[in-house]
Amino acid sequence: MKTRIKDIKAREILDSRGEPTIEVDVITEDGTLGRADVPCGLSKGEHEALEVRDGGSRYAGRGVRNAVYNVHEVIRPALLGKNSVEQREIDELMIELDGTPNKSKLGSNAIVGVSLAVAKAAANALGKPLYEHIGGAGPHILPVPVLDMIEGGLLAASGLDFQEHQVMPVGAESFSEAIRMGMEVYYKLGEIIKKEWGRHSLNVGAEGGYTPQAMNDPRKALDAEWKAIVELGYQDKFVMSLDVAASHFYDRQEEKYKFMGKKITTDELIEYYIELVNDYPIVSIEDPLQEDDYEGYAKLTSALDIQIIGDDFFATNPERIKRGIDEGAANAVLLKVNQIGTLSEALDAAQLAFRNNFGVQVSERSGETEDTWLADLAVAINSGQIKTGVTRSERTCKYNRLLRIEESDKSLKYAGRLFRHPC
C-alpha cells in the first residue's frame, strides 16, 4: 500500500531564533516524503508538554540530539509498516510509547515532529493539500490574521509588559485584502513610531513587531496603532486585540502583578482591562491573568463581552479546556500543537472548544521555521483566526501559504467579522 510508512528520519535544524529544533521526514512505500519542522516557544506555560533537550555546553544545552535519537531508535521501529492515513492510531501509539502524562520521556518535540510529518506524508501520497487531508470535506473558511504590531514582554527588548499589541483586519473582503491592509498599517505605524519614539524603535521583536524601548504603557502602543489605522482611513476595517501573557509578570509569592512599575491585584488588573475595552475597539485578550487563576478568568469573562483566550491557561489540553468550560473561565482556546504533543490531541482540543461555543485561534510559536503546516491547520478546522506574527520570513511564509490556498480554492470564504464563530 502506497501510504504505508517505509522510513522515518529526523535531524537537528535551526529555528528562527537560531536555536536547535527537530525536523522529521516520513517516507511512504511509494517514496512520497512528508517533512515537518517543530516550532518552539519562548513564552511557555507550566502545563505544556515537555521537550527533550540535550543539556551540556553544546548549543548552550539547547541541542536536540536526544530527541532525534528517540525518533530513530524508539518511534521509528514502532511505526514502520503503519498506514500513514491512520493518524489517530499512530499518535496514540506514540503516546503509549512515551508513557508519561507530559511526553517527557521521548519529548513533545520528537513526538509532534513525527505526528505532523505523518499527516504531511499521507496528504502528499494521496495527492491532497494538507488542509483537505486533515479537514476532509469540512474546510470552507480562511482565517483573519492577528497581526502583532508592537511587542513587549518576553518577546522584545521594549518597555512594555504586555507581550503583543495586535490589530485584526476583520472588515476586509478577502484574506489577500486583509494582508494587504495589515501590511499597510505596519508601514504607516513604522513612520509614526520613528517620528515619535526614534528610529531605534523600528527594531523588531521575535515575531516582527516594533519594539519602542521608551514605551511602557499599553495605551501608547494602542494609540500609535490606531493612529496608523485612522491615517489610512481603515477605522471601519480594523479591530484591536492583546496577548498579555500575564503569568510572566505575576509574582506568585506576593500574589500580585508587577505592571508598569507597580504591584497590583487581580481585581485592579481586571478593572484596567475593562477600561481599555471601553476606550479602544479591543475584541480579544489572550492570557489576561496568570495561568492557574480560574476564578479570575471567570470573573473577567463575565465582565467583558469579548473574546478571552486561554494560552498558557489552557495549554491546548482538553482537560484544562473542559474545566474552563465548566467554570465559565475564558471563551476561546489558543491552539498550539506542540503544547499538547500530537496532531490528534490538538484536533480533539479544537473540537471540544467548538462544541462548547468557544473560539479557536491557531497560533505559531516565537521560535518558528519555514514550514507552513500551521496555515493548513487553520483552514482545516475553520478556525477563523490565525496568529503568526507580522513580518520575518518564518511568519510571512504562513501568510503566503494562505494566499496560495485562497487562489487555488475558491470555495473558501474569509471569516471577517465572524472570526469567533465562522461556522
Side-chain angles (χ1 to χ4, degrees):
M1 186 181 296
K2 67 178 184 178
T3 54
R4 291 196 183 279
I5 296 173
K6 181 180 180 181
D7 201 6
I8 300 176
K9 300 176 182 179
R11 64 189 61 85
E12 188 180 63
I13 64 168
L14 296 180
D15 69 16
S16 59
R17 296 197 305 263
E19 290 196 357
T21 189
I22 189 169
E23 179 176 78
V24 178
D25 293 350
V26 169
I27 300 97
T28 61
E29 288 287 353
D30 67 347
T32 299
L33 169 66
R35 173 173 290 164
D37 299 345
V38 178
C40 174
L42 178 63
S43 173
K44 296 180 182 178
E46 293 185 358
H47 304 289
E48 293 191 27
L50 296 180
E51 302 171 326
V52 164
R53 297 280 179 174
D54 298 343
S57 59
R58 182 177 175 273
Y59 278 119
R62 302 290 292 164
V64 292
R65 284 179 170 176
N66 288 334
V68 170
Y69 176 88
N70 289 340
V71 172
H72 288 158
E73 301 302 324
V74 182
I75 297 174
R76 177 182 178 274
L79 297 191
L80 292 182
K82 298 292 183 182
N83 192 339
S84 62
V85 301
E86 301 296 338
Q87 186 74 44
R88 185 170 296 277
E89 176 187 335
I90 288 170
D91 287 347
E92 289 177 351
L93 178 54
M94 289 192 289
I95 293 169
E96 183 179 344
L97 286 171
D98 177 85
T100 68
N102 58 1
K103 300 176 178 65
S104 58
K105 180 180 177 181
L106 299 179
S108 64
N109 45 352
I111 294 172
V112 77
V114 174
S115 180
L116 291 166
V118 164
K120 294 178 79 171
N124 292 340
L126 295 171
K128 296 180 179 180
L130 182 60
Y131 71 86
E132 185 179 318
H133 171 64
I134 295 173
H140 61 282
I141 297 294
L142 287 163
V144 172
V146 182
L147 300 164
D148 175 17
M149 294 282 169
I150 297 178
E151 293 186 46
L154 296 182
L155 297 185
S158 72
L160 294 160
D161 294 311
F162 290 179
Q163 190 160 273
E164 300 180 23
H165 307 75
Q166 308 155 335
V167 301
M168 300 172 63
V170 296
E173 296 297 322
S174 64
F175 180 81
S176 54
E177 184 178 77
I179 285 296
R180 175 184 61 78
M181 293 193 303
M183 290 303 105
E184 289 173 3
V185 171
Y186 183 77
Y187 309 151
K188 179 62 68 173
L189 178 61
E191 296 173 10
I192 292 169
I193 286 178
K194 181 180 179 180
K195 182 177 179 180
E196 296 188 12
W197 300 92
R199 65 185 181 87
H200 295 294
S201 295
L202 297 180
N203 291 333
V204 299
E207 298 179 4
Y210 298 118
T211 61
Q213 294 184 14
M215 186 185 287
N216 64 0
D217 186 339
R219 287 179 176 270
K220 298 291 186 181
L222 295 170
D223 286 340
E225 291 174 354
W226 193 247
K227 183 177 181 180
I229 289 168
V230 170
E231 287 191 10
L232 290 166
Y234 289 158
Q235 55 266 40
D236 295 330
K237 303 291 187 181
F238 278 82
V239 292
M240 309 182 87
S241 55
L242 295 166
D243 172 10
V244 176
S247 290
H248 300 291
F249 57 89
Y250 179 68
D251 188 320
R252 288 187 177 272
Q253 289 187 331
E254 296 192 24
E255 297 185 343
K256 289 187 177 181
Y257 295 89
K258 296 180 178 179
F259 178 57
M260 287 199 294
K262 299 179 181 180
K263 295 179 181 179
I264 63 174
T265 65
T266 298
D267 285 342
E268 288 172 324
L269 187 54
I270 288 175
E271 185 59 35
Y272 182 77
Y273 293 135
I274 293 172
E275 292 174 0
L276 283 183
V277 172
N278 285 335
D279 293 342
Y280 299 92
I282 294 172
V283 299
S284 179
I285 304 178
E286 176 187 332
D287 272 2
L289 301 170
Q290 65 95 356
E291 60 197 322
D292 291 312
D293 188 4
Y294 280 86
E295 181 180 350
Y297 266 85
K299 185 174 183 178
L300 181 61
T301 305
S302 176
L304 291 175
D305 185 23
I306 67 169
Q307 179 171 261
I308 305 296
I309 306 176
D311 175 15
D312 295 343
F313 183 57
F314 286 140
T316 315
N317 187 311
E319 292 182 6
R320 293 184 66 83
I321 296 169
K322 179 65 164 59
R323 181 178 172 186
I325 291 166
D326 292 342
E327 298 184 19
N331 54 31
V333 173
L334 199 74
L335 197 73
K336 295 176 173 175
V337 179
N338 75 323
Q339 278 186 330
I340 190 65
T342 66
L343 177 59
S344 296
E345 290 170 295
L347 294 174
D348 288 345
Q351 291 307 312
L352 174 62
F354 287 137
R355 288 197 305 271
N356 289 277
N357 207 34
F358 270 42
V360 175
Q361 187 175 106
V362 171
S363 176
E364 37 71 278
R365 304 306 300 257
S366 58
E368 267 296 334
T369 75
E370 304 91 340
D371 202 336
T372 61
W373 57 261
L374 191 80
D376 283 77
L377 177 61
V379 176
I381 66 171
N382 299 308
S383 68
Q385 44 189 317
I386 186 171
K387 185 177 78 161
T388 182
V390 61
T391 62
R392 299 172 43 134
S393 60
E394 75 279 358
R395 319 284 156 185
T396 57
C397 67
K398 279 72 166 173
Y399 297 138
N400 291 338
R401 171 60 180 157
L402 287 166
L403 290 170
R404 297 182 190 106
I405 291 174
E406 180 179 58
E407 179 185 58
S408 64
D409 191 341
K410 301 303 182 184
S411 70
L412 302 171
K413 304 300 181 184
Y414 181 60
R417 300 185 191 278
L418 301 178
F419 67 92
R420 290 179 64 181
H421 306 292
C423 296

